[in-house]
Amino acid sequence: MSEVKTHLRTCNICEAMCGLEIKYQDKQILSIKGDKEDPFSQGHICPKATALQDFYHDKERLKTPIKRTENGWVDISWQDAFDEIIEKFKTIQETQGKNALGVYLGNPNAHNLGNAMFLPAFIKSLGTVNRYSSASTDQMPHHVASNYMLGAGILIPVPDIDRTDFMLIIGGNPVVSNGSMMTAPNVQGRMKAIQKRGGKVVVVDPRRTETAKMADEHLFIRPEKDALLLLSMIHTVFANQQIDLGHLENYVEGLDKIESLVKNFSPQEMSDYIGIDASAIEKLATDMASAKSAVCYSRMGASTQTFGGLCQWLTNVFNIITGNFDSEGGAMFPQPAFDLLRRTERGQKTSYGRYQSRVRKLPFFNGEFPVATLADEITTPGQDQIKALITVAGNPVLSSPSGDKLAVAFEELDFMVSVDIYLNETTKHANIILPATTGLENSHYDIFFNSFSVRNNAKYSAPLFEKEDNQRADWEILKEIAAGLSGRPNDGFTPEFVLDMELKSGPYGNQGLSLQKLIDNPHGIDLGALKPCIIERIKTSDGKVNLAPQLYLDDIPRLKDMLSQPARDKDYPFDLIGRRLARSHNTWTQNSKRLVKGKNPVTLQLNPKDATDLGVENGQLLSVSSNVGEIKIEALINDDILQGVVSMPQGWGHNQKDTGMSIAATQPGVSINDLTDANRVDLLTGNAALNGTKVSIKVA
Ligand SMILES: Nc1nc2c(c(=O)[nH]1)N[C@H]1C(S)=C(S)[C@@H](COP(=O)(O)OP(=O)(O)OC[C@H]3O[C@@H](n4cnc5c(=O)[nH]c(N)nc54)[C@H](O)[C@@H]3O)O[C@H]1N2
Ligand SMILES: Nc1nc2c(c(=O)[nH]1)N[C@H]1C(S)=C(S)[C@@H](COP(=O)(O)OP(=O)(O)OC[C@H]3O[C@@H](n4cnc5c(=O)[nH]c(N)nc54)[C@H](O)[C@@H]3O)O[C@H]1N2
Ligand code: SF4
Ligand SMILES: [Mo]
């Protein structure tokens, strides 16, 4: 046995970028703890990080390419796998057109240095517009708002949680999710610090969440009414004449349009729809506008719904008109050391809205179509129909709306490839699975999440364990396919080479930032608090913030139409929303024994009054139906949820045959996305409307 060693790295499971201190001996991990000397996370860690060792040691994780045959899965060599994939993709594209090849990118791509760096070139090599990703089940409304208001989809406003005096959280549960589009390890500690310095935290959510329980105030809201809430808050700010653009006074266009828009959205008129008293709405808006600093942060619950586009736009509008945009304690903009914004020119025309999807005419945003229409594009005959598909680090059968229908659609493909670490609900439909290295075998630097971080940082993690001879990193796989398809030789650039170049030529290059400097500082380097910078960073052609883009104004009639619809559907009287669990991450961490032990966490939470009306008892098995599917799930009755609303975890449903995750299958749960309807999208951004699914409930 060799000596016990210490390895420092950043956890790459979620967005929080926690520093880890890992003690190990040979290939054995002795402990995984929070790195107290990481200047950003200061020792914070959650239970998922300790499972990194389980993913590393998991015997069911794939390490050799496998091919589906009549006699089951067989191992094949990398060369044979690449030869067959390139030959099949080329033939299909030559005979059926470039767009006959589709691509789906899942969430772990954003948490992987090589993928974040080399995916654009890979996608280009595919030569198809049929591009999809988990972004359209998640944060597309944020990117669309930034693109139309600020000229660049990557320019995301981030709550300055460490300095704000008032934080309003709409549809986010960062105490469990550890934050999203807000990279902030130890959100709980940061929220407590707001309270300690005399500030206030308010949560707006149909559930009394773990975050709501910590907040100073929680307001229950009816699902999908957030745009109305924001409009009535903006109405109040105008009515009180509290408009204050601060240092952006000469940089904001369209204030008059907002003023006339909100006239008809007074708190009094909207209150019944929203489910919050008019006086509470007025107080919230007034208190925020009068606070020294305040920030409205709205996330998943306000994005993955029918009006996600309007919600993210109006969130920005509220912050801007109260003087809380690009200023301390408000919504601010990071200046990352690896700056993706350098790829966008001022006034540059983007692909936003350039195309419509073939079947359902949904918008193409941020270089992709909504995944809610992927099944249609596979199953509907005609020119540009998808005949071959490659998924990279994604499990859309469990993560996309009407995921079970997508599984059926995959069976219609002529050829499918998955780059993944498991044989799961999605990859089992592939003809070939290419396994990538993961987690502790990879080097890391967070390209994306430093762009959404509440402080500017830089940290590099070397691989802890060397990969085995036969293994390949995701980026190596992607480069090999790209070279085969484009006919251009692999450029040979490694992630480290590009990272070093970007750091040296980036905004901190003149302060000596380089890969070597990061290697010399393995706990990471703090690059300081966020600074006002939007005037320099904005990418609109006139350098001004566009407060009222026409696209958004044109979506208001759709919102108004909702007002005339009945509050409760006759056949499906409940609104289903999702929830996240502290011990699972989306669909893929469920093969870790230490994370899935204990009681089945996949339960339907409902209010005691609804339970009484339905004659349901705690723990009873229920049958839940929507217009597209039915599942069976146990009842969890408590008053932490609004009457008429029910909630269940997302990311589960490992109850299928022919998959290779036996620990996950011991506690399979059911998939929420067998109930969500792919036809329900936010028509403005194409984002899936996962929350607010209408369901009926009966005892099973
Ligand atoms: N109803 C409902 N649905 C939701 C949500 C919700 O709240 N409610 N949330 C949505 C959100 S926010 C998201 S981001 C999506 C996520 O949707 P997806 O990205 O489709 O799902 P994941 O579970 O993240 O899938 C990760 C896949 O990558 C594989 N993987 C893990 N690590 C690696 C790696 O290092 N390399 C490779 N090549 N593969 C790897 C896993 O085995 C798995 O197949 O789900 C969405 N779906
Ligand atoms: N432990 C854990 N952490 C995770 C993940 C995980 O799976 N597990 N996934 C990661 C990913 S990919 C992401 S994108 C982030 C997401 O992180 P968050 O944005 O914090 O997402 P959720 O925890 O799903 O919280 C969404 C909240 O919206 C509420 N909600 C639902 N519908 C509505 C509505 O109509 N209006 C309002 N106001 N609220 C509503 C829900 O009750 C829920 O509390 O979490 C990340 N972190
Ligand atoms: S909060 Fe996220 S980044 Fe931090 S340890 Fe947990 S999973 Fe890893
Ligand atoms: Mo996500």
Side-chain angles (χ1 to χ4, degrees):
M1 275 261 171
S2 59
E3 57 178 324
V4 174
K5 291 188 184 148
T6 303
H7 169 81
L8 301 173
R9 69 184 295 110
T10 303
C11 175
N12 71 326
I13 297 176
C14 88
E15 301 182 29
M17 304 198 309
C18 298
L20 305 179
E21 185 194 274
I22 304 180
K23 297 261 188 244
Y24 68 105
Q25 195 169 30
D26 295 324
K27 291 228 153 173
Q28 213 47 48
I29 289 171
L30 306 175
S31 67
I32 299 182
K33 295 203 169 113
D35 175 6
K36 292 201 180 72
E37 287 178 60
D38 181 304
F40 187 41
S41 64
Q42 299 180 4
H44 180 263
I45 188 175
C46 88
K48 290 183 289 178
T50 45
L52 279 169
Q53 56 193 303
D54 300 341
F55 310 134
Y56 175 68
H57 286 299
D58 192 344
K59 295 221 160 30
E60 291 178 318
R61 182 157 67 87
L62 302 173
K63 293 196 172 163
T64 314
I66 54 173
K67 178 174 168 166
R68 187 154 48 91
T69 70
E70 279 172 9
N71 303 317
W73 291 95
V74 295
D75 288 357
I76 56 169
S77 72
W78 284 98
Q79 198 53 55
D80 288 351
F82 286 131
D83 287 348
E84 181 169 347
I85 290 166
I86 287 156
E87 192 267 317
K88 286 267 171 39
F89 281 176
K90 275 190 169 168
T91 309
I92 286 169
Q93 286 192 304
E94 274 159 22
T95 54
Q96 326 245 9
K98 283 279 189 189
N99 296 333
L101 175 59
V103 56
Y104 173 84
L105 307 175
N107 172 274
N109 286 296
H111 299 270
N112 180 309
L113 169 63
N115 297 31
M117 198 175 266
F118 296 124
L119 270 168
F122 169 74
I123 291 168
K124 204 163 165 213
S125 78
L126 301 179
T128 176
V129 295
N130 267 317
R131 311 197 284 252
Y132 303 81
S133 87
S134 55
S136 59
T137 54
D138 184 348
Q139 83 274 17
M140 192 54 81
H142 294 252
H143 296 302
V144 175
S146 289
N147 190 72
Y148 279 90
M149 301 180 79
L150 308 170
I154 191 71
L155 205 45
I156 299 289
V158 175
D160 187 15
I161 187 169
D162 293 339
R163 288 180 293 189
T164 195
D165 297 290
F166 198 125
M167 185 164 182
L168 169 62
I169 303 176
I170 302 181
N173 186 12
V175 167
V176 170
S177 71
N178 293 290
S180 182
M181 309 302 271
M182 168 181 75
T183 286
N186 192 12
V187 170
Q188 204 159 343
R190 290 172 202 264
M191 278 171 63
K192 279 191 190 141
I194 298 177
Q195 293 166 326
K196 215 168 153 194
R197 59 179 180 262
K200 193 170 177 185
V201 180
V202 177
V203 171
V204 171
D205 199 299
R207 267 181 75 217
R208 190 183 295 118
T209 59
E210 296 77 355
T211 308
K213 286 177 184 170
M214 263 200 68
D216 299 276
E217 196 178 343
H218 168 227
L219 299 167
F220 279 112
I221 187 169
R222 302 224 53 88
E224 304 198 290
K225 302 300 183 289
D226 308 275
L228 298 177
L229 171 68
L230 286 157
L231 282 165
S232 58
M233 287 171 66
I234 295 167
H235 174 103
T236 306
V237 178
F238 275 101
N240 292 348
Q241 300 185 327
Q242 281 184 303
I243 302 295
D244 164 21
L245 300 177
H247 71 301
L248 298 178
E249 182 73 52
N250 299 319
Y251 292 92
V252 172
E253 289 282 2
L255 190 63
D256 49 332
K257 290 185 187 162
I258 302 290
E259 181 167 22
S260 61
L261 166 69
V262 297
K263 282 222 162 72
N264 298 324
F265 290 95
S266 69
Q268 286 74 14
E269 282 164 293
M270 293 301 118
S271 166
D272 284 350
Y273 301 105
I274 301 168
I276 301 177
D277 283 347
S279 58
I281 299 173
E282 278 168 353
K283 182 166 184 329
L284 180 61
T286 310
D287 288 354
M288 286 184 77
S290 338
K292 196 160 141 270
S293 69
V295 64
C296 174
Y297 162 67
S298 56
R299 208 25 213 119
M300 276 292 291
S303 302
T304 55
Q305 55 150 289
T306 327
F307 301 104
L310 289 179
C311 287
Q312 293 308 331
W313 166 54
L314 294 168
T315 298
N316 288 344
V317 170
F318 183 82
N319 288 329
I320 294 167
I321 64 164
T322 55
N324 288 303
F325 204 67
D326 192 41
S327 67
E328 275 189 24
M332 298 194 78
F333 296 87
Q335 173 56 75
F338 187 126
D339 193 358
L340 290 166
L341 191 67
R342 293 207 295 171
R343 296 172 190 179
T344 308
E345 299 290 325
R346 208 171 240 212
Q348 183 177 315
K349 283 231 175 329
T350 67
S351 63
Y352 277 80
R354 189 186 293 165
Y355 316 108
Q356 288 188 320
S357 68
R358 180 177 62 102
V359 181
R360 276 164 61 194
K361 312 291 173 221
L362 293 175
F364 183 85
F365 280 136
N366 221 20
E368 60 187 82
F369 286 117
V371 69
T373 194
L374 175 55
D376 310 312
E377 296 295 330
I378 295 172
T379 56
T380 312
Q383 171 119 32
D384 290 341
Q385 179 184 6
I386 297 177
K387 292 288 190 178
L389 181 74
I390 179 164
T391 69
V392 184
N395 190 2
V397 168
L398 294 191
S399 69
S400 297
S402 308
D404 51 344
K405 313 270 184 321
L406 198 53
V408 176
F410 287 164
E411 287 301 305
E412 287 189 26
L413 291 165
D414 290 346
F415 190 62
M416 176 169 161
V417 176
S418 290
V419 182
D420 209 283
I421 58 173
Y422 285 117
L423 175 60
N424 65 18
E425 300 73 19
T426 293
T427 62
K428 74 174 184 183
H429 299 281
N431 297 86
I432 293 177
I433 306 179
L434 300 174
T437 55
T438 193
L440 304 178
E441 296 155 337
N442 289 340
S443 59
H444 193 57
Y445 176 97
D446 256 300
I447 296 183
F448 280 111
F449 301 108
N450 275 302
S451 306
F452 309 148
S453 175
V454 300
R455 278 188 83 84
N456 295 314
N457 308 278
K459 178 166 170 173
Y460 171 77
S461 318
L464 167 55
F465 297 121
E466 238 176 86
K467 63 182 196 260
E468 292 162 22
D469 284 348
N470 195 37
Q471 282 186 287
R472 308 230 178 168
D474 276 292
W475 63 272
E476 292 175 301
I477 299 170
L478 301 179
K479 282 196 162 204
E480 191 84 29
I481 297 174
L485 287 178
S486 66
R488 276 191 291 277
N490 188 329
D491 58 22
F493 293 159
T494 61
E496 278 70 11
F497 175 81
V498 179
L499 176 63
D500 188 45
M501 258 183 4
E502 289 280 345
L503 294 175
K504 283 177 177 158
S505 64
Y508 306 90
N510 57 4
Q511 299 166 32
L513 200 64
S514 66
L515 179 58
Q516 190 56 49
K517 186 157 176 191
L518 296 186
I519 292 171
D520 295 340
N521 291 274
H523 297 286
I525 296 178
D526 179 39
L527 298 169
L530 306 187
K531 292 194 189 107
C533 60
I534 196 64
I535 292 168
E536 299 89 67
R537 282 173 77 71
I538 197 161
K539 295 294 180 185
T540 49
S541 49
D542 58 1
K544 293 194 171 161
V545 177
N546 189 357
L547 206 57
Q550 197 56 40
L551 181 85
Y552 289 91
L553 299 174
D554 290 346
D555 201 32
I556 293 291
R558 193 170 63 91
L559 182 71
K560 284 189 178 154
D561 284 348
M562 178 187 59
L563 302 180
S564 56
Q565 284 156 23
R568 287 182 91 163
D569 189 284
K570 192 162 54 49
D571 300 318
Y572 301 103
F574 293 91
D575 287 320
L576 173 68
I577 60 174
R579 69 175 187 267
R580 288 185 146 69
L581 303 176
R583 304 181 71 83
S584 62
H585 195 81
N586 296 340
T587 78
W588 69 270
T589 55
Q590 283 89 337
N591 219 37
S592 156
K593 223 178 212 156
R594 86 186 68 219
L595 293 183
V596 300
K597 64 184 176 211
K599 263 199 345 221
N600 181 0
V602 185
T603 53
L604 189 81
Q605 184 180 15
L606 71 167
N607 182 283
K609 295 204 183 72
D610 290 328
T612 308
D613 291 349
L614 290 163
V616 169
E617 284 177 28
N618 213 18
Q620 202 164 9
L621 195 66
L622 304 177
S623 158
V624 182
S625 306
S626 70
N627 61 328
V628 300
E630 187 193 356
I631 58 162
K632 298 225 171 8
I633 183 168
E634 273 178 31
L636 172 72
I637 302 169
N638 60 47
D639 67 1
D640 286 339
I641 190 153
L642 189 65
Q643 239 186 304
V645 183
V646 292
S647 142
M648 68 176 281
Q650 59 91 27
W652 292 76
H654 304 278
N655 54 352
Q656 302 190 6
K657 288 201 189 75
D658 310 325
T659 54
M661 295 170 76
S662 59
I663 296 172
T666 60
Q667 210 181 60
V670 277
S671 174
I672 187 173
N673 288 321
D674 291 351
L675 291 176
T676 55
D677 180 358
N679 284 312
R680 281 185 77 239
V681 294
D682 167 29
L683 285 171
L684 193 153
T685 64
N687 204 88
L690 302 167
N691 290 312
T693 300
K694 307 281 176 214
V695 296
S696 67
I697 301 169
K698 58 179 201 264
V699 174

